[in-house]
Amino acid sequence: MHKRYQRQAILPQLGKEGQEKLRKAKVLVVGAGGLGSPILTYLAAMGIGTIGIVEFDTIDISNLNRQFLYKEREVGQPKITIAIERLKEQNPHLCYVAHSFYLNEENILELFPQYDIIVDGSDNFKTRYLINDACVITKRPLVSGAIYQFQGQVSVFNYKGGPTYRCIFPEPPSALEAPTCATAGIIGATAGLIASYQVMEVVKIIGEMGNILSGKLLVVDLLQMEHQTIQFKLQPVNQAIEQLTPIPDEYCEIKSEEKVAVNQIDHWQDLHPKGVMIDLREDYEREEHTIKDAQWCPLHELPEIVNTLPEDQPILLFCQNGIKSKTAYQWLKEKNDKLILRELEGGLEQ
């Protein structure tokens, strides 16, 4: 046994036998972002023998408040390449496997059987439901985490035939009910804490010790410093999944019928003098750039004005990077399909 693992191997609950189990384990982490970054760091530090990573995104400057695997000079580079370089520096004695593709119905069922445990560090509901269903079909335990502002959730699904993600969240939420870190914000420490909980569940599963969070959802509120555990039971129908069913686009993913480029704003205003422009940004985002005659309505306040919007004039939704406008577009479509909606493609920063 390598000396680097001495401090954990002296734990009576783990010991040398447990450390050997960690060495032989194969763990797949989906996502190398806010959750995935600290998850991967701890898994590598404790000696998980084979670590697979699913990631296709590149590093953005906004990632750096919580994704400590990356540095500012690496902005624009593939996350998976830098992550593996950094992990090898940390612990070169392990096997790191890069899966640099978008997880989908065509590749997931071939990938999951290569690993013992799946750890979900994704940031969208469509991927979470896909991962859950694939874990049921391939009979793999799923260690799940989710973060939102100062809050987080952790659970273990499909553990030894136990409750699944769908047993507590049967259906995906609408776009406005499912904000991302980009639209709602996130404190880096929230991601770090939830990731640590996920890693502990991985260790407990491999080492066959402790109380596994199966049939239990741990909810953490760091602003109020409160922890709550929600119990839920297996619904047998959710263990009977035999094939993957794609999540419809109206859930979780947002598509618009017409987009306006940022350099077309003046022209759009000339064409639609009675049109409505809605600025969905937060107050701090409006310090550098405002648009004349635009109505300011932060995304979370949209329900307060929905009934005041005209049905006979086009409505142009815009934000800083295009994410909030996509969310608003889908939500407004669901509330009133008579609205003539347009969105500013890519937001003002394009």
Side-chain angles (χ1 to χ4, degrees), residues 194-231:
I194 298 303
S196 296
Y197 279 134
Q198 288 181 265
V199 170
M200 279 308 306
E201 293 305 302
V202 171
V203 174
K204 286 153 60 180
I205 292 171
I206 295 171
E208 300 177 281
M209 59 185 180
N211 235 340
I212 308 296
L213 278 173
S214 177
K216 292 174 282 188
L217 181 73
L218 177 64
V219 181
V220 181
D221 185 334
L222 290 176
L223 201 57
Q224 305 302 325
M225 202 49 72
E226 295 176 348
H227 289 60
Q228 178 185 8
T229 302
I230 300 171
Q231 306 275 345

Side-chain angles (χ1 to χ4, degrees), residues 181-340:
C181 294
T183 60
I186 184 67
I187 289 291
T190 304
L193 179 68
I194 298 303
S196 296
Y197 279 134
Q198 288 181 265
V199 170
M200 279 308 306
E201 293 305 302
V202 171
V203 174
K204 286 153 60 180
I205 292 171
I206 295 171
E208 300 177 281
M209 59 185 180
N211 235 340
I212 308 296
L213 278 173
S214 177
K216 292 174 282 188
L217 181 73
L218 177 64
V219 181
V220 181
D221 185 334
L222 290 176
L223 201 57
Q224 305 302 325
M225 202 49 72
E226 295 176 348
H227 289 60
Q228 178 185 8
T229 302
I230 300 171
Q231 306 275 345
F232 60 99
K233 295 182 179 180
L234 171 66
Q235 304 298 320
V237 66
N238 294 323
Q239 273 290 357
I241 297 173
E242 295 181 351
Q243 61 183 16
L244 298 174
T245 303
I247 303 295
D249 283 338
E250 58 263 29
Y251 295 105
C252 312
E253 286 193 349
I254 302 141
K255 295 184 178 180
S256 64
E257 298 170 356
E258 183 175 333
K259 296 182 179 180
V260 177
V262 68
N263 60 1
Q264 297 174 326
I265 291 179
D266 291 341
H267 180 59
W268 189 90
Q269 287 179 310
D270 290 339
L271 286 176
H272 308 286
K274 295 184 179 180
V276 178
M277 300 184 66
I278 299 181
D279 184 349
L280 298 158
R281 295 174 297 168
E282 296 297 323
D283 189 33
Y284 71 89
E285 295 177 296
R286 303 173 72 244
E287 294 175 356
E288 295 182 6
H289 190 183
T290 58
I291 295 181
K292 184 181 178 182
D293 298 327
Q295 177 180 349
W296 179 42
C297 177
L299 181 63
H300 64 275
E301 295 181 7
L302 200 56
E304 298 176 15
I305 70 164
V306 62
N307 293 327
T308 69
L309 298 177
E311 295 178 354
D312 59 344
Q313 295 295 331
I315 300 168
L316 179 60
L317 306 165
F318 70 91
C319 61
Q320 194 70 13
N321 53 21
I323 297 174
K324 293 175 182 177
S325 63
K326 288 180 181 294
T327 302
Y329 181 99
Q330 182 62 55
W331 187 81
L332 288 170
K333 269 293 182 186
E334 293 173 358
K335 293 296 180 183
N336 186 353
D337 60 6
K338 295 180 181 180
L339 295 175
I340 307 170

